[in-house]
Amino acid sequence: MNLGFLASHNGSNMQAVIDACRAGRLAASPVVVISNNVDSGALERARNERIPCFHLSGRTHPDPGDLDREIVDVLLEHDVNLVILAGYMKKVGPVTLATFPGHVLNIHPGLLPDFGGRGMYGRRVHEAVLAAGAGTTGATVHVVDAIYDNGPILAQTKVEVKKTDTADTLARRVLALEHELYVETIDRIIRGEIKLT
Ligand code: GAR
């Protein structure tokens, strides 16, 4: 299984998956990293790991169709068969989705279908969870389709929201769970326990 990553910021989820590959916990190879953010931690991590990496964004490709096609070209050139969104804050284009049907995964820092959709990402999810007074939150791994946070849910993990929690404490606790959940879910896919269409 060749993994291609799309990431916008720190890339800690991506690192967790790479570490699991390196440790032999995942029968997979991290083969390419693409980021829309030239200064992202994800690109730095990729360089440290000697994984080919590319900055592709509206700056390098002002036309969204061109950008989508370039992303696909890079993924195909590296023989990617599973696309891992790891804190990727852009919508995945139609050509990418058509080229890897059912094989683009995302991790979301909340319990979808709640607290998802357009504008609901990163810290905003935790702020919304606290504002709603939810007693439980968590993380979700799902298949990506054309609508934000909408595709089939593959796995979830839950955590209690404490009275003393802030968006920062919640983000930290959920992120640690995300790392484990993403690795475990990819492993279950590789083992055939979870079937992707
Ligand atoms: C993670 O919490 C991830 O779930 C979230 O951004 C963070 C990225 O952290 N993704 C989204 O909100 C996507 N809708 P990372 O860059 O350290 O992996």
Side-chain angles (χ1 to χ4, degrees):
M1 186 76 85
N2 285 340
L3 308 179
F5 296 90
L6 297 180
S8 297
H9 295 298
N10 181 16
S12 74
N13 274 293
M14 180 191 87
Q15 186 73 57
V17 176
I18 293 169
D19 289 348
C21 294
R22 303 286 196 230
R25 185 172 163 207
L26 284 179
S29 303
V31 293
V32 68
V33 174
I34 296 171
S35 181
N36 61 304
N37 174 3
V38 73
D39 296 319
S40 64
L43 287 179
E44 200 180 327
R45 289 175 190 274
R47 284 189 288 268
N48 289 340
E49 294 284 347
R50 306 270 187 273
I51 298 169
C53 61
F54 301 83
H55 165 228
L56 299 176
S57 71
R59 273 166 64 188
T60 61
H61 296 77
D63 178 77
D66 289 347
L67 175 60
D68 191 11
R69 279 185 292 276
E70 182 61 22
I71 288 173
V72 166
D73 285 351
V74 168
L75 294 172
L76 291 177
E77 273 162 22
H78 291 83
D79 294 325
V80 167
N81 30 47
L82 190 60
V83 181
I84 307 291
L85 306 194
Y88 188 59
M89 301 306 175
K90 296 287 175 187
K91 203 160 190 179
V92 177
V95 183
T96 305
L97 292 176
T99 308
F100 298 94
H103 284 68
V104 181
L105 306 186
N106 182 43
I107 190 153
H108 182 81
L111 293 175
L112 293 175
D114 295 338
F115 305 110
R118 194 178 185 83
M120 199 55 97
Y121 54 84
R123 192 187 157 85
R124 290 188 188 190
V125 176
H126 306 298
E127 287 168 349
V129 165
L130 290 173
T136 309
T137 186
T140 303
V141 176
H142 67 97
V143 177
V144 174
D145 67 13
I147 302 168
Y148 275 118
D149 300 327
N150 179 72
I153 291 173
L154 301 180
Q156 289 187 310
T157 187
K158 293 182 183 176
V159 65
E160 182 198 348
V161 180
K162 297 180 187 156
K163 294 246 178 308
T164 51
D165 266 324
T166 63
D168 286 337
T169 60
L170 217 45
R172 268 199 298 279
R173 248 188 5 271
V174 171
L175 189 61
L177 292 176
E178 287 180 43
H179 296 165
E180 188 51 33
L181 183 70
Y182 225 173
V183 169
E184 194 182 292
T185 308
I186 294 167
D187 188 44
R188 289 176 62 202
I189 290 167
I190 292 168
R191 290 177 187 283
E193 288 175 30
I194 295 176
K195 302 242 183 290
L196 302 179
T197 50

